[in-house]
mmCIF file of all heavy atoms in Angstrom:
data_model
loop_
_atom_site.group_PDB
_atom_site.id
_atom_site.type_symbol
_atom_site.label_atom_id
_atom_site.label_comp_id
_atom_site.label_asym_id
_atom_site.label_seq_id
_atom_site.Cartn_x
_atom_site.Cartn_y
_atom_site.Cartn_z
ATOM 1 N N SER Y 7 4.626 -0.626 -70.799
ATOM 2 C CA SER Y 7 5.962 -0.158 -70.451
ATOM 3 C C SER Y 7 6.361 1.127 -71.182
ATOM 4 O O SER Y 7 6.913 2.049 -70.590
ATOM 5 C CB SER Y 7 6.965 -1.274 -70.762
ATOM 6 O OG SER Y 7 8.238 -0.899 -70.326
ATOM 7 N N ASN Y 17 8.408 14.103 -68.012
ATOM 8 C CA ASN Y 17 8.511 14.730 -66.697
ATOM 9 C C ASN Y 17 9.929 15.215 -66.432
ATOM 10 O O ASN Y 17 10.136 16.344 -65.965
ATOM 11 C CB ASN Y 17 8.075 13.709 -65.642
ATOM 12 C CG ASN Y 17 8.151 14.261 -64.232
ATOM 13 O OD1 ASN Y 17 7.524 15.271 -63.933
ATOM 14 N ND2 ASN Y 17 8.937 13.625 -63.383
ATOM 15 N N GLN Y 25 13.895 24.790 -64.930
ATOM 16 C CA GLN Y 25 14.812 25.372 -63.952
ATOM 17 C C GLN Y 25 15.647 26.465 -64.603
ATOM 18 O O GLN Y 25 16.536 26.171 -65.400
ATOM 19 C CB GLN Y 25 15.764 24.289 -63.438
ATOM 20 C CG GLN Y 25 15.075 23.197 -62.666
ATOM 21 C CD GLN Y 25 15.010 23.512 -61.205
ATOM 22 O OE1 GLN Y 25 15.673 24.441 -60.758
ATOM 23 N NE2 GLN Y 25 14.239 22.776 -60.452
ATOM 24 N N SER Y 32 23.469 25.235 -68.633
ATOM 25 C CA SER Y 32 23.580 24.343 -69.785
ATOM 26 C C SER Y 32 23.602 25.104 -71.115
ATOM 27 O O SER Y 32 24.183 24.628 -72.075
ATOM 28 C CB SER Y 32 22.460 23.305 -69.773
ATOM 29 O OG SER Y 32 21.209 23.945 -69.814
ATOM 30 N N GLY Y 34 23.151 29.152 -71.323
ATOM 31 C CA GLY Y 34 23.557 30.553 -71.206
ATOM 32 C C GLY Y 34 25.066 30.727 -71.154
ATOM 33 O O GLY Y 34 25.658 31.451 -71.967
ATOM 34 N N PHE Y 42 31.612 35.610 -76.658
ATOM 35 C CA PHE Y 42 32.496 36.646 -76.111
ATOM 36 C C PHE Y 42 33.942 36.420 -76.531
ATOM 37 O O PHE Y 42 34.596 37.317 -77.071
ATOM 38 C CB PHE Y 42 32.374 36.670 -74.586
ATOM 39 C CG PHE Y 42 33.147 37.788 -73.941
ATOM 40 C CD1 PHE Y 42 32.582 39.050 -73.817
ATOM 41 C CD2 PHE Y 42 34.438 37.587 -73.464
ATOM 42 C CE1 PHE Y 42 33.289 40.090 -73.236
ATOM 43 C CE2 PHE Y 42 35.150 38.622 -72.873
ATOM 44 C CZ PHE Y 42 34.566 39.880 -72.759
ATOM 45 N N LEU Y 100 6.928 2.486 -61.971
ATOM 46 C CA LEU Y 100 8.008 2.984 -62.844
ATOM 47 C C LEU Y 100 9.202 2.035 -62.855
ATOM 48 O O LEU Y 100 9.659 1.616 -63.925
ATOM 49 C CB LEU Y 100 8.439 4.386 -62.396
ATOM 50 C CG LEU Y 100 9.618 4.984 -63.164
ATOM 51 C CD1 LEU Y 100 9.292 5.172 -64.629
ATOM 52 C CD2 LEU Y 100 10.051 6.314 -62.546
ATOM 53 N N ALA Y 108 15.018 7.028 -68.382
ATOM 54 C CA ALA Y 108 14.387 8.328 -68.588
ATOM 55 C C ALA Y 108 15.381 9.462 -68.340
ATOM 56 O O ALA Y 108 15.387 10.469 -69.052
ATOM 57 C CB ALA Y 108 13.176 8.483 -67.670
ATOM 58 N N ALA Y 152 30.866 9.447 -68.790
ATOM 59 C CA ALA Y 152 31.840 9.797 -67.761
ATOM 60 C C ALA Y 152 31.273 10.860 -66.819
ATOM 61 O O ALA Y 152 31.309 10.703 -65.588
ATOM 62 C CB ALA Y 152 33.121 10.310 -68.423
ATOM 63 N N ILE Y 156 30.037 10.770 -62.766
ATOM 64 C CA ILE Y 156 30.531 11.656 -61.700
ATOM 65 C C ILE Y 156 29.360 12.356 -61.014
ATOM 66 O O ILE Y 156 29.269 12.425 -59.786
ATOM 67 C CB ILE Y 156 31.524 12.687 -62.283
ATOM 68 C CG1 ILE Y 156 32.757 11.975 -62.850
ATOM 69 C CG2 ILE Y 156 31.928 13.699 -61.215
ATOM 70 C CD1 ILE Y 156 33.661 12.870 -63.682
ATOM 71 N N GLY Y 162 24.202 10.371 -55.430
ATOM 72 C CA GLY Y 162 23.797 9.171 -54.712
ATOM 73 C C GLY Y 162 24.469 8.991 -53.369
ATOM 74 O O GLY Y 162 24.141 8.069 -52.624
ATOM 75 N N THR Y 167 22.117 19.657 -51.221
ATOM 76 C CA THR Y 167 22.751 20.975 -51.222
ATOM 77 C C THR Y 167 24.259 20.850 -51.425
ATOM 78 O O THR Y 167 24.877 21.686 -52.077
ATOM 79 C CB THR Y 167 22.466 21.697 -49.888
ATOM 80 O OG1 THR Y 167 22.584 20.753 -48.826
ATOM 81 C CG2 THR Y 167 21.084 22.281 -49.878
ATOM 82 N N GLY Y 184 40.074 22.163 -68.491
ATOM 83 C CA GLY Y 184 39.531 21.219 -69.470
ATOM 84 C C GLY Y 184 39.915 21.511 -70.906
ATOM 85 O O GLY Y 184 39.390 20.880 -71.819
ATOM 86 N N ALA Y 195 53.279 23.277 -66.605
ATOM 87 C CA ALA Y 195 53.465 21.872 -66.991
ATOM 88 C C ALA Y 195 52.873 20.859 -66.012
ATOM 89 O O ALA Y 195 52.181 19.927 -66.430
ATOM 90 C CB ALA Y 195 54.944 21.592 -67.227
ATOM 91 N N LEU Y 197 50.429 21.186 -63.894
ATOM 92 C CA LEU Y 197 48.970 21.298 -63.941
ATOM 93 C C LEU Y 197 48.449 20.685 -65.245
ATOM 94 O O LEU Y 197 47.419 19.999 -65.268
ATOM 95 C CB LEU Y 197 48.588 22.773 -63.836
ATOM 96 C CG LEU Y 197 47.176 23.084 -63.353
ATOM 97 C CD1 LEU Y 197 46.902 22.388 -62.023
ATOM 98 C CD2 LEU Y 197 47.003 24.592 -63.200
ATOM 99 N N ALA Y 222 43.903 12.958 -86.138
ATOM 100 C CA ALA Y 222 43.447 11.984 -85.152
ATOM 101 C C ALA Y 222 43.805 12.510 -83.762
ATOM 102 O O ALA Y 222 44.877 13.086 -83.561
ATOM 103 C CB ALA Y 222 44.122 10.646 -85.395
ATOM 104 N N ALA Y 223 42.893 12.336 -82.803
ATOM 105 C CA ALA Y 223 43.193 12.724 -81.425
ATOM 106 C C ALA Y 223 44.214 11.748 -80.869
ATOM 107 O O ALA Y 223 44.344 10.621 -81.357
ATOM 108 C CB ALA Y 223 41.929 12.691 -80.588
ATOM 109 N N ALA Y 242 29.560 4.819 -59.579
ATOM 110 C CA ALA Y 242 28.300 5.451 -59.172
ATOM 111 C C ALA Y 242 27.231 4.396 -58.878
ATOM 112 O O ALA Y 242 26.520 4.478 -57.876
ATOM 113 C CB ALA Y 242 27.817 6.414 -60.263
#
Side-chain angles (χ1 to χ4, degrees):
Chain Y
S7 185
N17 180 58
Q25 295 270 348
S32 60
F42 185 85
L100 176 62
I156 297 169
T167 41
L197 202 54

